[in-house]
């Protein structure tokens, strides 16, 4: 803590996913043979048709500031995508393009939260939700879950968490880190609770919508009585393997989209122009063009679940989407491994990095202190070797 810095930044946690990614880079640069299973980052090349669109945009001399909320034709492509894939109807003034879904979430927290407003976070939740909300003055109200319920909440859990101060609820489905997917019936049961509390805004993070092995993605916004109070967050990082291109977007009630546009106008001026041009092409293409990546993730899921089942003390659910497994590793708490005392998931994650040269992320960062997150957005070879090393280090 540095007293010369603001209380705001002093109170903020470092992103555990990005901190581990930095550590992996550092260790690799020193020559360590690390297998990185920490970061949720597809290892595929960007589809050729998307690359070509970016190259064309450079050659066509795109270089200027774009409209703050995104090029008009990109917004049209997003509207078409929402309509085609999610049966959602938006007008251009309901769409805001941002520098990644992460910035979309930050915009939303900044424009919706006042000091003391409560944010319901079903746990495990994606690592950044909590700090993004806290920096905007929000107070996370975490709903714990466990492997027994596939890390899902019930409508009763939701109702119990609601108070007079509840402003928003944020969740991802498919979920990072548990891989759980809420089906239509479950989402409807939450909507039935929420209709009693008309001021609560739902932020539905659907960035893994295509990496869904149930093949049935449902959005809360598709319910007629929830559309006007649900913000859909999405982006191209996961589906198109475009993490570094930094494009995300929202479909939102117009008053929220306008506020995000205003926020972004002061904070970033909007997203990168070349990346925006490429994303038009990405989204205009049907999801069938990226299904080869989803098929590969499905194969990898099978592989990692099989290998994990042979590791003593790792209890895992069957993830239905995204590309993570989230084993409960509490079996090891209180045990000593190679002279190291394991008291928590963070200790175990650190032990695996030091002893097995395998990078994972502690579940504590996702609001579940019994688990670690392992990303299988990695080659089959690395998954196999990573699990072999973990098994060996835990013997
Ligand atoms: N939401 C979830 C659930 C994520 O896993 C991520 C990680 N990329 C993001 C949002 C942020 O995505 P982006 O790269 O578009 O900022
Ligand atoms: N979302 C990815 C993850 O959870 C990337 C890292 C990040 O954006 O924090 O690993």
């Amino acid at each position: 803590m540095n007293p010369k810095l603001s209380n705001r930044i002093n109170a903020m946690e470092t992103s555990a996913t990005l901190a581990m990614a930095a550590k992996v880079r550092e260790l690799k640069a020193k020559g360590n043979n690390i297998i990185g299973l920490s970061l949720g980052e597809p290892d595929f090349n960007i589809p050729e048709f998307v690359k070509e669109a970016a190259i064309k945009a450079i050659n066509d001399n795109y270089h200027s500031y774009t409209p703050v909320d995104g090029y008009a034709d990109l917004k049209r492509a997003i509207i078409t995508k929402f309509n085609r894939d999610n049966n959602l109807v938006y007008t251009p003034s309901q769409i805001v393009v941002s520098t990644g879904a992460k910035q979309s979430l930050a915009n939303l927290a900044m424009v919706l939260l006042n000091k003391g407003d409560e944010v319901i976070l079903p746990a495990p939740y994606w690592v950044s939700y909590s700090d993004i909300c806290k920096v905007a003055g929000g107070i996370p109200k975490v709903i714990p879950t466990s492997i027994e319920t596939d890390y899902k909440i019930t409508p009763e859990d939701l109702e119990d968490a609601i108070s007079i101060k509840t402003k928003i609820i944020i969740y991802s489905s498919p979920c990072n880190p548990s891989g759980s997917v809420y089906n239509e019936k479950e989402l409807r049961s939450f909507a039935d609770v929420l209709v009693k509390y008309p001021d609560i805004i739902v932020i539905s993070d659907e960035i893994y919508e295509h990496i869904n092995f149930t093949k049935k993605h449902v959005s809360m916004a598709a319910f007629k009585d929830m559309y006007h109070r649900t913000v859909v967050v999405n982006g191209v990082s996961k589906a198109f393997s475009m993490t570094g291109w930094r494009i995300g977007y929202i479909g939102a009630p117009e008053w929220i989209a306008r506020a995000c546009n205003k926020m972004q106008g002061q904070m970033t001026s909007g997203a990168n122009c070349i990346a925006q041009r490429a994303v038009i092409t990405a989204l205009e293409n049907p999801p069938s063009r990226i299904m080869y990546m989803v098929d590969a993730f499905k194969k990898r899921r099978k592989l990692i679940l099989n290998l994990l089942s042979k590791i003593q003390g790792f209890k895992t659910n069957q993830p239905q989407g995204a590309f993570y497994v989230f084993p409960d590793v509490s079996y090891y708490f209180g045990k000593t491994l190679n002279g190291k005392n394991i008291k928590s998931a963070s200790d175990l994650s650190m032990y695996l990095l030091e002893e097995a040269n395998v990078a994972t992320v502690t579940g504590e960062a996702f609001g579940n202190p019994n688990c670690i997150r392992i990303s299988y957005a990695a080659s089959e070879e690395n998954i196999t070797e990573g699990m072999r090393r973990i098994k060996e280090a835990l013997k």
Side-chain angles (χ1 to χ4, degrees), residues 17 40-41 98-105 125-129 171-177 205-208 233-238 242-249 322-324 366 373:
T17 45
E41 174 154 74
S98 301
T99 300
K102 196 181 263 183
Q103 195 203 347
S104 298
L105 290 160
Y125 49 79
W126 181 49
V127 61
S128 293
Y129 294 160
Y171 63 88
S172 58
S173 178
C175 174
N176 176 2
D205 183 343
E206 303 182 16
I207 195 151
Y208 294 98
V233 176
N234 210 325
V236 293
S237 284
K238 312 296 166 175
M242 292 176 76
T243 45
W245 291 55
R246 312 304 307 126
I247 299 287
Y249 54 88
F323 34 60
Y324 309 99
F366 302 89
R373 191 190 76 174

Side-chain angles (χ1 to χ4, degrees), residues 336-340 351 355 393:
T336 303
L337 300 168
N338 280 336
K340 288 189 176 134
Y351 174 80
E355 295 291 322

Side-chain angles (χ1 to χ4, degrees), residues 27-28 30-36 356-358 382 385 389:
L27 289 169
K28 279 187 175 168
K30 284 187 188 151
N32 292 298
N33 174 11
I34 305 287
I35 296 196
N357 275 342
V358 178
N382 277 351
E385 174 60 9
R389 290 185 190 182

Side-chain angles (χ1 to χ4, degrees), residues 10 48 74 142 147 158-159 184 219 229 253 261 312 325 386:
N10 278 330
E48 286 303 320
L74 173 54
V142 175
I147 192 167
L158 174 60
E159 188 136 31
E184 185 168 356
S219 173
R229 49 192 284 215
N261 187 11
Q312 189 183 11
V325 278

Side-chain angles (χ1 to χ4, degrees), residues 250-279:
I250 56 168
E254 194 173 329
W255 60 277
I256 298 179
R258 261 204 225 122
C260 289
N261 187 11
K262 181 174 167 188
M263 175 63 63
Q264 207 161 265
Q266 292 288 21
M267 295 293 192
T268 65
S269 302
N272 173 290
C273 67
I274 303 300
Q276 285 194 49
R277 300 309 305 165
V279 170

